[in-house]
Amino acid sequence: MPEGDTVFRAARRLNRALQGDEVTRFDLRVPALATADLRGEIVHEVVPRGKHLLHRIGDMTLRSHLRMDGSWHVYRPGERWRAPAHQARAVIATVHAETVGFEVSMLALVPTREEESLIGHLGPDPLQDDWDPAEAARRVKSDERSIHVALLDQRNVAGFGNEYAAELLFLRGVLPTAPASDVDARALVDLGARTIRANIERSERTFTGIARPGHRTWVYGRAHRACRRCGTLIETGELGAVETEERITFWCPRCQR
């Protein structure tokens, strides 16, 4: 599932393509929104909030989420799409650009004044100007579950996904199964904020500081391979708030205790 830095870059790219222009095509290909039409309205901005994308058009806000396989493409008018048309869930175009959301989900259209009904549940977002590390740490620390699950809960901190959880816990030397209440949550969320902010300016996300393929992570995706620090084999398991939401975890049993 795309992390907050991926969504941030997507919003920035869409905003550059659409901001300030009049909508000439507005096509939402989901039954509940199929009749919605914002043609003639001005795109004020496209902004990220955690893992959500918000198109503010006229006095309305369109929310979308990338989930596992979603993506937004930007094309020149008339340019051939690089994904199958049957995967398109949203098309928003102006005279200067055509943007297409392929396999995006959680589409919702509400008056902008009611935007909080869609995102008000989210915790502090390290990529927003109103980032509140103390509140993020308080929410994580007060979570009664494992620290890995607490980090993934968007109500605690908005934007961290499975890759960030695995890598941040390695860097802090914390087992994913450790109770969140036992962890230095302030240090953890501060490290997460610095890391995700650095990654929004990188062409490829990295936690090691090395951008070469195969060298970007410490433990994530490296099950049964040698730890880059101590050589111990990386272990893997599954954790989640409920069985249907379990995520694969990765950790070094020597570096994380």
Side-chain angles (χ1 to χ4, degrees):
M1 184 176 292
E3 313 261 349
D5 50 6
T6 300
V7 176
F8 185 95
R9 286 192 296 271
R12 184 166 57 185
R13 185 172 67 253
L14 290 166
N15 193 61
R16 288 171 177 167
L18 298 172
Q19 186 179 39
D21 285 345
E22 179 180 316
V23 175
T24 57
R25 182 180 181 185
F26 189 82
D27 182 8
L28 301 182
R29 301 180 178 182
V30 294
L33 300 174
T35 60
D37 188 359
L38 296 183
R39 287 177 298 175
E41 300 288 352
I42 300 299
V43 180
H44 300 303
E45 59 185 347
V46 184
V47 297
R49 187 67 165 82
K51 298 183 180 185
H52 301 254
L53 279 161
L54 305 175
H55 286 73
R56 293 170 178 155
I57 304 172
D59 60 0
M60 303 294 287
T61 292
L62 174 69
R63 186 275 305 279
S64 63
H65 196 290
L66 301 183
R67 286 293 186 180
M68 293 296 293
D69 302 312
S71 62
W72 278 92
H73 293 195
V74 177
Y75 299 101
R76 296 184 300 274
E79 184 180 0
R80 184 175 181 177
W81 294 355
R82 297 184 299 276
H86 72 266
Q87 294 180 356
R89 300 292 178 267
V91 183
I92 303 173
T94 69
V95 294
H96 297 115
E98 183 173 59
T99 64
V100 187
F102 293 99
E103 296 192 300
V104 294
S105 65
M106 297 176 67
L107 286 170
L109 186 65
V110 300
T112 299
R113 66 179 181 274
E114 298 175 12
E115 204 172 85
E116 283 298 297
S117 66
L118 302 176
I119 58 171
H121 65 287
L122 297 176
D125 182 341
L127 297 180
Q128 298 295 315
D129 293 337
D130 62 356
W131 165 240
D132 187 342
E135 175 60 15
R138 185 195 67 78
R139 294 188 184 202
V140 171
K141 189 78 171 179
S142 62
D143 199 310
E144 297 179 352
R145 300 167 297 178
S146 72
I147 186 59
H148 187 272
V149 172
L151 273 183
L152 292 184
D153 193 329
Q154 300 299 294
R155 296 171 297 181
N156 292 332
V157 188
F160 295 151
N162 204 35
E163 186 172 358
Y164 269 93
E167 294 294 294
L168 295 176
L169 292 175
F170 172 83
L171 291 169
R172 289 294 303 166
V174 177
L175 279 170
T177 52
S181 58
D182 292 347
V183 174
D184 185 343
R186 183 59 183 263
L188 184 62
V189 298
D190 282 348
L191 174 62
R194 295 197 306 273
T195 305
I196 200 169
R197 288 171 183 168
N199 275 329
I200 63 173
E201 302 302 336
R202 292 170 172 150
S203 58
E204 296 290 346
R205 180 188 302 136
T206 179
F207 297 90
T208 63
I210 301 172
R212 295 197 307 274
H215 294 79
R216 297 170 186 150
T217 64
W218 294 100
V219 293
Y220 184 81
R222 302 191 68 247
H224 314 304
R225 299 175 65 183
C227 174
R228 300 188 193 280
R229 281 185 176 170
C230 72
T232 304
L233 295 184
I234 302 301
E235 295 189 6
T236 184
E238 292 185 351
L239 281 174
V242 295
E243 288 187 5
T244 56
E245 296 178 1
E246 287 185 338
R247 298 290 183 267
I248 299 176
T249 56
F250 303 88
W251 73 93
C252 171
R254 183 174 181 181
C255 295
Q256 295 167 257
R257 296 183 176 180

